[in-house]
Amino acid sequence: MINVVIGIIVKQDKILLIKRERGDFVGFWGLPGGKIEECEHIDTAIEREINEELGLQLKFRKLLGTATEIMHDKNSTSILYCCELLMETEQEIIDPEFEYKWFSKEELMKSNLIIESDKMMIHQFYHQKEKNYLKLDCYREKEGKYFWK
């Protein structure tokens, strides 16, 4: 089981996503974040990951929700802790580890280049505030395309 923090960062009603360059979903846009280290709290982990990936000094605001995502092609399970971060002051992204882009709500929902499970978490946890837990089952077709049920 892998514990992962992901962060929702909002600026002028747009959400920040990064382009995946390694691991699962290479070439797709997704929420920034990463693995929680041993003896690390969720708030500390997301602040560290955002700093490492984007060079931003942001503060953990709150835990929006949790998801279990099973990657059936790899027989692995991740627990995803979706956090909201607070941008207290206007900051510039300097020397980011990944390509990044700010997406409007409409762009998020229409794009086929955004990781579907991230779209689901953004929609349920942030926009709708309907749920605080999602069960995500990810499958991979023979051609390599991912899909969720």
Side-chain angles (χ1 to χ4, degrees):
M1 182 131 5
I2 303 167
N3 291 303
V4 176
V5 287
I6 53 175
I8 293 182
I9 303 165
V10 180
K11 178 179 172 182
Q12 299 171 349
D13 293 326
K14 292 186 176 185
I15 293 178
L16 182 68
L17 299 181
I18 61 171
K19 195 171 209 176
R20 302 290 169 138
E21 296 176 357
R22 58 184 181 265
D24 298 314
F25 316 114
V26 172
F28 283 83
W29 294 93
L31 292 165
K35 294 178 185 171
I36 300 170
E37 295 178 358
E38 194 67 38
C39 297
E40 188 175 41
H41 290 288
I42 293 168
D43 58 344
T44 306
I46 192 62
E47 289 174 2
R48 175 186 52 76
E49 285 290 342
I50 296 302
N51 183 261
E52 288 175 3
E53 293 181 358
L54 298 163
L56 294 172
Q57 299 288 330
L58 302 182
K59 295 290 181 194
F60 170 86
R61 182 163 182 252
K62 64 181 173 180
L63 179 64
L64 296 173
T66 305
T68 48
E69 184 170 37
I70 298 173
M71 301 287 289
H72 289 275
D73 66 317
K74 297 168 77 174
N75 291 322
S76 70
T77 303
S78 295
I79 299 176
L80 305 164
Y81 299 95
C82 186
C83 305
E84 184 176 6
L85 289 119
L86 182 61
M87 192 178 287
E88 294 176 330
T89 60
E90 189 65 31
Q91 298 182 43
E92 292 295 320
I93 297 173
I94 300 170
D95 194 29
E97 183 178 352
F98 299 99
E99 184 179 344
Y100 68 92
K101 181 179 174 186
W102 296 93
F103 286 82
S104 69
K105 183 177 181 180
E106 295 75 31
E107 291 171 319
L108 279 166
M109 295 306 136
K110 289 180 182 177
S111 177
N112 293 329
L113 295 176
I114 298 172
I115 301 166
E116 191 63 33
S117 57
D118 286 16
K119 286 169 77 168
M120 294 165 73
M121 286 184 282
I122 292 167
H123 179 73
Q124 294 294 326
F125 298 155
Y126 183 75
H127 288 125
Q128 298 297 317
K129 297 175 179 42
E130 289 178 2
K131 299 179 181 181
N132 61 9
Y133 173 69
L134 287 175
K135 289 170 38 172
L136 304 167
D137 286 282
C138 181
Y139 298 87
R140 195 168 190 182
E141 296 174 345
K142 290 179 184 174
E143 304 83 38
K145 184 179 178 185
Y146 293 98
F147 66 97
W148 283 260
K149 287 186 177 182

PDB file of all heavy atoms in Angstrom, residues 103-135:
ATOM      1  N   PHE A 103      -5.670  25.509 -14.880  1.00  0.00           N
ATOM      2  CA  PHE A 103      -6.854  25.071 -15.614  1.00  0.00           C
ATOM      3  C   PHE A 103      -8.126  25.641 -14.994  1.00  0.00           C
ATOM      4  O   PHE A 103      -8.311  25.563 -13.777  1.00  0.00           O
ATOM      5  CB  PHE A 103      -6.973  23.540 -15.580  1.00  0.00           C
ATOM      6  CG  PHE A 103      -5.994  22.823 -16.458  1.00  0.00           C
ATOM      7  CD1 PHE A 103      -4.694  22.583 -16.022  1.00  0.00           C
ATOM      8  CD2 PHE A 103      -6.368  22.371 -17.712  1.00  0.00           C
ATOM      9  CE1 PHE A 103      -3.789  21.904 -16.825  1.00  0.00           C
ATOM     10  CE2 PHE A 103      -5.464  21.690 -18.519  1.00  0.00           C
ATOM     11  CZ  PHE A 103      -4.182  21.459 -18.081  1.00  0.00           C
ATOM     12  N   SER A 104      -9.015  26.163 -15.837  1.00  0.00           N
ATOM     13  CA  SER A 104     -10.335  26.589 -15.370  1.00  0.00           C
ATOM     14  C   SER A 104     -11.190  25.343 -15.144  1.00  0.00           C
ATOM     15  O   SER A 104     -10.853  24.242 -15.604  1.00  0.00           O
ATOM     16  CB  SER A 104     -11.008  27.493 -16.414  1.00  0.00           C
ATOM     17  OG  SER A 104     -11.342  26.727 -17.564  1.00  0.00           O
ATOM     18  N   LYS A 105     -12.306  25.496 -14.476  1.00  0.00           N
ATOM     19  CA  LYS A 105     -13.214  24.377 -14.212  1.00  0.00           C
ATOM     20  C   LYS A 105     -13.671  23.749 -15.530  1.00  0.00           C
ATOM     21  O   LYS A 105     -13.718  22.523 -15.665  1.00  0.00           O
ATOM     22  CB  LYS A 105     -14.422  24.864 -13.402  1.00  0.00           C
ATOM     23  CG  LYS A 105     -15.388  23.768 -13.016  1.00  0.00           C
ATOM     24  CD  LYS A 105     -16.511  24.303 -12.153  1.00  0.00           C
ATOM     25  CE  LYS A 105     -17.464  23.206 -11.756  1.00  0.00           C
ATOM     26  NZ  LYS A 105     -18.564  23.710 -10.910  1.00  0.00           N
ATOM     27  N   GLU A 106     -13.982  24.591 -16.519  1.00  0.00           N
ATOM     28  CA  GLU A 106     -14.434  24.097 -17.818  1.00  0.00           C
ATOM     29  C   GLU A 106     -13.329  23.312 -18.526  1.00  0.00           C
ATOM     30  O   GLU A 106     -13.572  22.241 -19.092  1.00  0.00           O
ATOM     31  CB  GLU A 106     -14.906  25.254 -18.711  1.00  0.00           C
ATOM     32  CG  GLU A 106     -16.140  25.991 -18.186  1.00  0.00           C
ATOM     33  CD  GLU A 106     -15.849  26.928 -17.008  1.00  0.00           C
ATOM     34  OE1 GLU A 106     -14.726  27.490 -16.919  1.00  0.00           O
ATOM     35  OE2 GLU A 106     -16.738  27.078 -16.146  1.00  0.00           O
ATOM     36  N   GLU A 107     -12.120  23.829 -18.509  1.00  0.00           N
ATOM     37  CA  GLU A 107     -10.985  23.134 -19.138  1.00  0.00           C
ATOM     38  C   GLU A 107     -10.728  21.789 -18.469  1.00  0.00           C
ATOM     39  O   GLU A 107     -10.439  20.799 -19.136  1.00  0.00           O
ATOM     40  CB  GLU A 107      -9.712  23.986 -19.062  1.00  0.00           C
ATOM     41  CG  GLU A 107      -9.739  25.224 -19.921  1.00  0.00           C
ATOM     42  CD  GLU A 107      -8.556  26.141 -19.661  1.00  0.00           C
ATOM     43  OE1 GLU A 107      -8.176  26.324 -18.470  1.00  0.00           O
ATOM     44  OE2 GLU A 107      -8.016  26.675 -20.641  1.00  0.00           O
ATOM     45  N   LEU A 108     -10.839  21.761 -17.144  1.00  0.00           N
ATOM     46  CA  LEU A 108     -10.633  20.519 -16.391  1.00  0.00           C
ATOM     47  C   LEU A 108     -11.605  19.432 -16.827  1.00  0.00           C
ATOM     48  O   LEU A 108     -11.217  18.292 -17.048  1.00  0.00           O
ATOM     49  CB  LEU A 108     -10.821  20.761 -14.894  1.00  0.00           C
ATOM     50  CG  LEU A 108      -9.659  21.354 -14.129  1.00  0.00           C
ATOM     51  CD1 LEU A 108     -10.108  21.839 -12.771  1.00  0.00           C
ATOM     52  CD2 LEU A 108      -8.559  20.332 -13.985  1.00  0.00           C
ATOM     53  N   MET A 109     -12.860  19.785 -16.914  1.00  0.00           N
ATOM     54  CA  MET A 109     -13.885  18.793 -17.189  1.00  0.00           C
ATOM     55  C   MET A 109     -13.884  18.340 -18.652  1.00  0.00           C
ATOM     56  O   MET A 109     -14.258  17.217 -18.958  1.00  0.00           O
ATOM     57  CB  MET A 109     -15.268  19.317 -16.789  1.00  0.00           C
ATOM     58  CG  MET A 109     -15.400  19.543 -15.283  1.00  0.00           C
ATOM     59  SD  MET A 109     -14.956  18.051 -14.340  1.00  0.00           S
ATOM     60  CE  MET A 109     -13.963  18.722 -13.043  1.00  0.00           C
ATOM     61  N   LYS A 110     -13.437  19.179 -19.565  1.00  0.00           N
ATOM     62  CA  LYS A 110     -13.473  18.849 -20.996  1.00  0.00           C
ATOM     63  C   LYS A 110     -12.227  18.122 -21.487  1.00  0.00           C
ATOM     64  O   LYS A 110     -12.280  17.382 -22.454  1.00  0.00           O
ATOM     65  CB  LYS A 110     -13.663  20.131 -21.821  1.00  0.00           C
ATOM     66  CG  LYS A 110     -15.036  20.731 -21.691  1.00  0.00           C
ATOM     67  CD  LYS A 110     -15.149  21.988 -22.526  1.00  0.00           C
ATOM     68  CE  LYS A 110     -16.508  22.630 -22.355  1.00  0.00           C
ATOM     69  NZ  LYS A 110     -16.605  23.878 -23.101  1.00  0.00           N
ATOM     70  N   SER A 111     -11.104  18.307 -20.848  1.00  0.00           N
ATOM     71  CA  SER A 111      -9.841  17.780 -21.359  1.00  0.00           C
ATOM     72  C   SER A 111      -9.728  16.263 -21.209  1.00  0.00           C
ATOM     73  O   SER A 111     -10.069  15.706 -20.170  1.00  0.00           O
ATOM     74  CB  SER A 111      -8.663  18.442 -20.647  1.00  0.00           C
ATOM     75  OG  SER A 111      -7.447  17.878 -21.100  1.00  0.00           O
ATOM     76  N   ASN A 112      -9.219  15.614 -22.239  1.00  0.00           N
ATOM     77  CA  ASN A 112      -8.930  14.188 -22.194  1.00  0.00           C
ATOM     78  C   ASN A 112      -7.492  13.920 -21.783  1.00  0.00           C
ATOM     79  O   ASN A 112      -7.058  12.778 -21.744  1.00  0.00           O
ATOM     80  CB  ASN A 112      -9.191  13.549 -23.565  1.00  0.00           C
ATOM     81  CG  ASN A 112     -10.652  13.556 -23.915  1.00  0.00           C
ATOM     82  OD1 ASN A 112     -11.506  13.478 -23.041  1.00  0.00           O
ATOM     83  ND2 ASN A 112     -10.949  13.671 -25.195  1.00  0.00           N
ATOM     84  N   LEU A 113      -6.732  14.987 -21.519  1.00  0.00           N
ATOM     85  CA  LEU A 113      -5.324  14.848 -21.164  1.00  0.00           C
ATOM     86  C   LEU A 113      -5.082  15.017 -19.664  1.00  0.00           C
ATOM     87  O   LEU A 113      -3.952  15.184 -19.231  1.00  0.00           O
ATOM     88  CB  LEU A 113      -4.484  15.848 -21.951  1.00  0.00           C
ATOM     89  CG  LEU A 113      -4.468  15.625 -23.463  1.00  0.00           C
ATOM     90  CD1 LEU A 113      -3.693  16.724 -24.160  1.00  0.00           C
ATOM     91  CD2 LEU A 113      -3.874  14.256 -23.795  1.00  0.00           C
ATOM     92  N   ILE A 114      -6.148  14.981 -18.891  1.00  0.00           N
ATOM     93  CA  ILE A 114      -6.042  15.082 -17.431  1.00  0.00           C
ATOM     94  C   ILE A 114      -6.388  13.711 -16.853  1.00  0.00           C
ATOM     95  O   ILE A 114      -7.337  13.055 -17.291  1.00  0.00           O
ATOM     96  CB  ILE A 114      -6.977  16.170 -16.880  1.00  0.00           C
ATOM     97  CG1 ILE A 114      -6.567  17.543 -17.443  1.00  0.00           C
ATOM     98  CG2 ILE A 114      -6.951  16.182 -15.350  1.00  0.00           C
ATOM     99  CD1 ILE A 114      -7.513  18.659 -17.133  1.00  0.00           C
ATOM    100  N   ILE A 115      -5.606  13.283 -15.877  1.00  0.00           N
ATOM    101  CA  ILE A 115      -5.838  11.986 -15.240  1.00  0.00           C
ATOM    102  C   ILE A 115      -7.272  11.949 -14.707  1.00  0.00           C
ATOM    103  O   ILE A 115      -7.677  12.814 -13.923  1.00  0.00           O
ATOM    104  CB  ILE A 115      -4.832  11.740 -14.107  1.00  0.00           C
ATOM    105  CG1 ILE A 115      -3.402  11.793 -14.653  1.00  0.00           C
ATOM    106  CG2 ILE A 115      -5.111  10.416 -13.405  1.00  0.00           C
ATOM    107  CD1 ILE A 115      -2.337  11.887 -13.591  1.00  0.00           C
ATOM    108  N   GLU A 116      -8.022  10.955 -15.154  1.00  0.00           N
ATOM    109  CA  GLU A 116      -9.450  10.887 -14.833  1.00  0.00           C
ATOM    110  C   GLU A 116      -9.707  10.838 -13.323  1.00  0.00           C
ATOM    111  O   GLU A 116     -10.632  11.474 -12.822  1.00  0.00           O
ATOM    112  CB  GLU A 116     -10.092   9.685 -15.518  1.00  0.00           C
ATOM    113  CG  GLU A 116     -11.597   9.679 -15.457  1.00  0.00           C
ATOM    114  CD  GLU A 116     -12.266  10.850 -16.163  1.00  0.00           C
ATOM    115  OE1 GLU A 116     -11.744  11.342 -17.175  1.00  0.00           O
ATOM    116  OE2 GLU A 116     -13.347  11.284 -15.679  1.00  0.00           O
ATOM    117  N   SER A 117      -8.900  10.097 -12.588  1.00  0.00           N
ATOM    118  CA  SER A 117      -9.127  10.019 -11.135  1.00  0.00           C
ATOM    119  C   SER A 117      -8.887  11.376 -10.475  1.00  0.00           C
ATOM    120  O   SER A 117      -9.577  11.737  -9.523  1.00  0.00           O
ATOM    121  CB  SER A 117      -8.255   8.942 -10.496  1.00  0.00           C
ATOM    122  OG  SER A 117      -6.887   9.162 -10.757  1.00  0.00           O
ATOM    123  N   ASP A 118      -7.936  12.160 -10.986  1.00  0.00           N
ATOM    124  CA  ASP A 118      -7.709  13.501 -10.444  1.00  0.00           C
ATOM    125  C   ASP A 118      -8.911  14.399 -10.742  1.00  0.00           C
ATOM    126  O   ASP A 118      -9.346  15.176  -9.887  1.00  0.00           O
ATOM    127  CB  ASP A 118      -6.430  14.118 -11.025  1.00  0.00           C
ATOM    128  CG  ASP A 118      -5.174  13.502 -10.437  1.00  0.00           C
ATOM    129  OD1 ASP A 118      -5.259  12.422  -9.819  1.00  0.00           O
ATOM    130  OD2 ASP A 118      -4.096  14.095 -10.593  1.00  0.00           O
ATOM    131  N   LYS A 119      -9.468  14.275 -11.948  1.00  0.00           N
ATOM    132  CA  LYS A 119     -10.675  15.038 -12.292  1.00  0.00           C
ATOM    133  C   LYS A 119     -11.818  14.695 -11.340  1.00  0.00           C
ATOM    134  O   LYS A 119     -12.546  15.578 -10.886  1.00  0.00           O
ATOM    135  CB  LYS A 119     -11.103  14.744 -13.734  1.00  0.00           C
ATOM    136  CG  LYS A 119     -10.224  15.380 -14.775  1.00  0.00           C
ATOM    137  CD  LYS A 119     -10.509  14.851 -16.170  1.00  0.00           C
ATOM    138  CE  LYS A 119     -11.720  15.396 -16.815  1.00  0.00           C
ATOM    139  NZ  LYS A 119     -11.785  15.057 -18.264  1.00  0.00           N
ATOM    140  N   MET A 120     -11.960  13.397 -11.044  1.00  0.00           N
ATOM    141  CA  MET A 120     -13.031  12.955 -10.153  1.00  0.00           C
ATOM    142  C   MET A 120     -12.853  13.538  -8.751  1.00  0.00           C
ATOM    143  O   MET A 120     -13.822  13.991  -8.136  1.00  0.00           O
ATOM    144  CB  MET A 120     -13.070  11.429 -10.108  1.00  0.00           C
ATOM    145  CG  MET A 120     -13.463  10.809 -11.443  1.00  0.00           C
ATOM    146  SD  MET A 120     -13.093   9.046 -11.550  1.00  0.00           S
ATOM    147  CE  MET A 120     -14.329   8.358 -10.491  1.00  0.00           C
ATOM    148  N   MET A 121     -11.612  13.535  -8.257  1.00  0.00           N
ATOM    149  CA  MET A 121     -11.370  14.076  -6.917  1.00  0.00           C
ATOM    150  C   MET A 121     -11.582  15.586  -6.884  1.00  0.00           C
ATOM    151  O   MET A 121     -12.180  16.105  -5.934  1.00  0.00           O
ATOM    152  CB  MET A 121      -9.964  13.702  -6.449  1.00  0.00           C
ATOM    153  CG  MET A 121      -9.855  12.238  -6.068  1.00  0.00           C
ATOM    154  SD  MET A 121      -8.254  11.776  -5.398  1.00  0.00           S
ATOM    155  CE  MET A 121      -7.291  11.657  -6.901  1.00  0.00           C
ATOM    156  N   ILE A 122     -11.108  16.289  -7.893  1.00  0.00           N
ATOM    157  CA  ILE A 122     -11.324  17.739  -7.952  1.00  0.00           C
ATOM    158  C   ILE A 122     -12.819  18.029  -7.954  1.00  0.00           C
ATOM    159  O   ILE A 122     -13.303  18.892  -7.211  1.00  0.00           O
ATOM    160  CB  ILE A 122     -10.643  18.356  -9.197  1.00  0.00           C
ATOM    161  CG1 ILE A 122      -9.123  18.282  -9.065  1.00  0.00           C
ATOM    162  CG2 ILE A 122     -11.095  19.803  -9.401  1.00  0.00           C
ATOM    163  CD1 ILE A 122      -8.370  18.572 -10.358  1.00  0.00           C
ATOM    164  N   HIS A 123     -13.562  17.313  -8.775  1.00  0.00           N
ATOM    165  CA  HIS A 123     -15.007  17.537  -8.880  1.00  0.00           C
ATOM    166  C   HIS A 123     -15.725  17.239  -7.563  1.00  0.00           C
ATOM    167  O   HIS A 123     -16.485  18.073  -7.056  1.00  0.00           O
ATOM    168  CB  HIS A 123     -15.579  16.691 -10.016  1.00  0.00           C
ATOM    169  CG  HIS A 123     -17.053  16.847 -10.182  1.00  0.00           C
ATOM    170  ND1 HIS A 123     -17.619  17.985 -10.709  1.00  0.00           N
ATOM    171  CD2 HIS A 123     -18.080  16.008  -9.878  1.00  0.00           C
ATOM    172  CE1 HIS A 123     -18.934  17.859 -10.716  1.00  0.00           C
ATOM    173  NE2 HIS A 123     -19.236  16.662 -10.217  1.00  0.00           N
ATOM    174  N   GLN A 124     -15.488  16.049  -6.999  1.00  0.00           N
ATOM    175  CA  GLN A 124     -16.210  15.639  -5.795  1.00  0.00           C
ATOM    176  C   GLN A 124     -15.756  16.371  -4.532  1.00  0.00           C
ATOM    177  O   GLN A 124     -16.578  16.831  -3.745  1.00  0.00           O
ATOM    178  CB  GLN A 124     -16.053  14.131  -5.573  1.00  0.00           C
ATOM    179  CG  GLN A 124     -16.709  13.287  -6.623  1.00  0.00           C
ATOM    180  CD  GLN A 124     -18.218  13.399  -6.624  1.00  0.00           C
ATOM    181  OE1 GLN A 124     -18.855  13.569  -5.586  1.00  0.00           O
ATOM    182  NE2 GLN A 124     -18.799  13.311  -7.803  1.00  0.00           N
ATOM    183  N   PHE A 125     -14.437  16.462  -4.349  1.00  0.00           N
ATOM    184  CA  PHE A 125     -13.919  17.020  -3.096  1.00  0.00           C
ATOM    185  C   PHE A 125     -13.895  18.543  -3.091  1.00  0.00           C
ATOM    186  O   PHE A 125     -14.151  19.168  -2.074  1.00  0.00           O
ATOM    187  CB  PHE A 125     -12.499  16.523  -2.821  1.00  0.00           C
ATOM    188  CG  PHE A 125     -12.359  15.036  -2.643  1.00  0.00           C
ATOM    189  CD1 PHE A 125     -11.146  14.416  -2.893  1.00  0.00           C
ATOM    190  CD2 PHE A 125     -13.407  14.240  -2.228  1.00  0.00           C
ATOM    191  CE1 PHE A 125     -10.972  13.048  -2.722  1.00  0.00           C
ATOM    192  CE2 PHE A 125     -13.264  12.866  -2.057  1.00  0.00           C
ATOM    193  CZ  PHE A 125     -12.041  12.272  -2.306  1.00  0.00           C
ATOM    194  N   TYR A 126     -13.556  19.154  -4.226  1.00  0.00           N
ATOM    195  CA  TYR A 126     -13.372  20.606  -4.249  1.00  0.00           C
ATOM    196  C   TYR A 126     -14.601  21.353  -4.768  1.00  0.00           C
ATOM    197  O   TYR A 126     -15.127  22.216  -4.091  1.00  0.00           O
ATOM    198  CB  TYR A 126     -12.132  20.985  -5.071  1.00  0.00           C
ATOM    199  CG  TYR A 126     -11.882  22.477  -5.051  1.00  0.00           C
ATOM    200  CD1 TYR A 126     -11.358  23.087  -3.916  1.00  0.00           C
ATOM    201  CD2 TYR A 126     -12.208  23.273  -6.139  1.00  0.00           C
ATOM    202  CE1 TYR A 126     -11.151  24.451  -3.871  1.00  0.00           C
ATOM    203  CE2 TYR A 126     -12.010  24.637  -6.100  1.00  0.00           C
ATOM    204  CZ  TYR A 126     -11.486  25.220  -4.968  1.00  0.00           C
ATOM    205  OH  TYR A 126     -11.303  26.575  -4.920  1.00  0.00           O
ATOM    206  N   HIS A 127     -15.043  21.012  -5.978  1.00  0.00           N
ATOM    207  CA  HIS A 127     -16.156  21.766  -6.555  1.00  0.00           C
ATOM    208  C   HIS A 127     -17.497  21.431  -5.915  1.00  0.00           C
ATOM    209  O   HIS A 127     -18.249  22.333  -5.548  1.00  0.00           O
ATOM    210  CB  HIS A 127     -16.234  21.547  -8.076  1.00  0.00           C
ATOM    211  CG  HIS A 127     -15.138  22.239  -8.820  1.00  0.00           C
ATOM    212  ND1 HIS A 127     -14.294  21.568  -9.681  1.00  0.00           N
ATOM    213  CD2 HIS A 127     -14.720  23.517  -8.834  1.00  0.00           C
ATOM    214  CE1 HIS A 127     -13.426  22.412 -10.189  1.00  0.00           C
ATOM    215  NE2 HIS A 127     -13.650  23.600  -9.683  1.00  0.00           N
ATOM    216  N   GLN A 128     -17.813  20.161  -5.791  1.00  0.00           N
ATOM    217  CA  GLN A 128     -19.123  19.759  -5.276  1.00  0.00           C
ATOM    218  C   GLN A 128     -19.174  19.650  -3.753  1.00  0.00           C
ATOM    219  O   GLN A 128     -20.242  19.772  -3.170  1.00  0.00           O
ATOM    220  CB  GLN A 128     -19.548  18.421  -5.897  1.00  0.00           C
ATOM    221  CG  GLN A 128     -19.709  18.471  -7.398  1.00  0.00           C
ATOM    222  CD  GLN A 128     -20.802  19.426  -7.839  1.00  0.00           C
ATOM    223  OE1 GLN A 128     -21.873  19.459  -7.237  1.00  0.00           O
ATOM    224  NE2 GLN A 128     -20.540  20.192  -8.870  1.00  0.00           N
ATOM    225  N   LYS A 129     -18.042  19.364  -3.142  1.00  0.00           N
ATOM    226  CA  LYS A 129     -17.973  19.148  -1.688  1.00  0.00           C
ATOM    227  C   LYS A 129     -19.018  18.119  -1.251  1.00  0.00           C
ATOM    228  O   LYS A 129     -19.573  18.198  -0.166  1.00  0.00           O
ATOM    229  CB  LYS A 129     -18.125  20.465  -0.927  1.00  0.00           C
ATOM    230  CG  LYS A 129     -17.021  21.445  -1.218  1.00  0.00           C
ATOM    231  CD  LYS A 129     -17.258  22.771  -0.551  1.00  0.00           C
ATOM    232  CE  LYS A 129     -16.204  23.806  -0.764  1.00  0.00           C
ATOM    233  NZ  LYS A 129     -15.627  23.989  -2.041  1.00  0.00           N
ATOM    234  N   GLU A 130     -19.257  17.127  -2.139  1.00  0.00           N
ATOM    235  CA  GLU A 130     -20.288  16.122  -1.884  1.00  0.00           C
ATOM    236  C   GLU A 130     -19.794  14.965  -1.042  1.00  0.00           C
ATOM    237  O   GLU A 130     -20.519  14.432  -0.231  1.00  0.00           O
ATOM    238  CB  GLU A 130     -20.803  15.549  -3.208  1.00  0.00           C
ATOM    239  CG  GLU A 130     -21.631  16.502  -4.009  1.00  0.00           C
ATOM    240  CD  GLU A 130     -22.066  15.900  -5.338  1.00  0.00           C
ATOM    241  OE1 GLU A 130     -21.747  14.730  -5.611  1.00  0.00           O
ATOM    242  OE2 GLU A 130     -22.718  16.620  -6.092  1.00  0.00           O
ATOM    243  N   LYS A 131     -18.587  14.529  -1.310  1.00  0.00           N
ATOM    244  CA  LYS A 131     -18.068  13.338  -0.658  1.00  0.00           C
ATOM    245  C   LYS A 131     -16.696  13.643  -0.090  1.00  0.00           C
ATOM    246  O   LYS A 131     -16.026  14.557  -0.527  1.00  0.00           O
ATOM    247  CB  LYS A 131     -17.913  12.196  -1.678  1.00  0.00           C
ATOM    248  CG  LYS A 131     -19.186  11.764  -2.328  1.00  0.00           C
ATOM    249  CD  LYS A 131     -18.903  10.657  -3.315  1.00  0.00           C
ATOM    250  CE  LYS A 131     -20.168  10.204  -4.005  1.00  0.00           C
ATOM    251  NZ  LYS A 131     -19.914   9.114  -4.934  1.00  0.00           N
ATOM    252  N   ASN A 132     -16.293  12.832   0.863  1.00  0.00           N
ATOM    253  CA  ASN A 132     -14.922  12.951   1.345  1.00  0.00           C
ATOM    254  C   ASN A 132     -14.166  11.636   1.199  1.00  0.00           C
ATOM    255  O   ASN A 132     -13.086  11.470   1.708  1.00  0.00           O
ATOM    256  CB  ASN A 132     -14.875  13.468   2.780  1.00  0.00           C
ATOM    257  CG  ASN A 132     -15.572  12.548   3.750  1.00  0.00           C
ATOM    258  OD1 ASN A 132     -15.967  11.438   3.407  1.00  0.00           O
ATOM    259  ND2 ASN A 132     -15.728  13.006   4.970  1.00  0.00           N
ATOM    260  N   TYR A 133     -14.788  10.677   0.465  1.00  0.00           N
ATOM    261  CA  TYR A 133     -14.120   9.407   0.177  1.00  0.00           C
ATOM    262  C   TYR A 133     -14.568   8.889  -1.186  1.00  0.00           C
ATOM    263  O   TYR A 133     -15.758   8.904  -1.504  1.00  0.00           O
ATOM    264  CB  TYR A 133     -14.440   8.356   1.248  1.00  0.00           C
ATOM    265  CG  TYR A 133     -13.906   6.990   0.884  1.00  0.00           C
ATOM    266  CD1 TYR A 133     -12.536   6.747   0.862  1.00  0.00           C
ATOM    267  CD2 TYR A 133     -14.766   5.966   0.512  1.00  0.00           C
ATOM    268  CE1 TYR A 133     -12.044   5.505   0.493  1.00  0.00           C
ATOM    269  CE2 TYR A 133     -14.268   4.724   0.148  1.00  0.00           C
ATOM    270  CZ  TYR A 133     -12.905   4.501   0.138  1.00  0.00           C
ATOM    271  OH  TYR A 133     -12.411   3.283  -0.230  1.00  0.00           O
ATOM    272  N   LEU A 134     -13.601   8.442  -1.985  1.00  0.00           N
ATOM    273  CA  LEU A 134     -13.888   7.847  -3.286  1.00  0.00           C
ATOM    274  C   LEU A 134     -13.165   6.511  -3.410  1.00  0.00           C
ATOM    275  O   LEU A 134     -12.031   6.374  -2.949  1.00  0.00           O
ATOM    276  CB  LEU A 134     -13.401   8.748  -4.429  1.00  0.00           C
ATOM    277  CG  LEU A 134     -14.181  10.018  -4.713  1.00  0.00           C
ATOM    278  CD1 LEU A 134     -13.466  10.826  -5.795  1.00  0.00           C
ATOM    279  CD2 LEU A 134     -15.601   9.703  -5.150  1.00  0.00           C
ATOM    280  N   LYS A 135     -13.833   5.552  -4.038  1.00  0.00           N
ATOM    281  CA  LYS A 135     -13.210   4.283  -4.398  1.00  0.00           C
ATOM    282  C   LYS A 135     -12.916   4.360  -5.891  1.00  0.00           C
ATOM    283  O   LYS A 135     -13.829   4.540  -6.694  1.00  0.00           O
ATOM    284  CB  LYS A 135     -14.153   3.123  -4.097  1.00  0.00           C
ATOM    285  CG  LYS A 135     -14.311   2.880  -2.628  1.00  0.00           C
ATOM    286  CD  LYS A 135     -15.397   1.905  -2.235  1.00  0.00           C
ATOM    287  CE  LYS A 135     -15.614   0.710  -3.064  1.00  0.00           C
ATOM    288  NZ  LYS A 135     -16.567  -0.252  -2.488  1.00  0.00           N
TER     289      LYS A 135
END
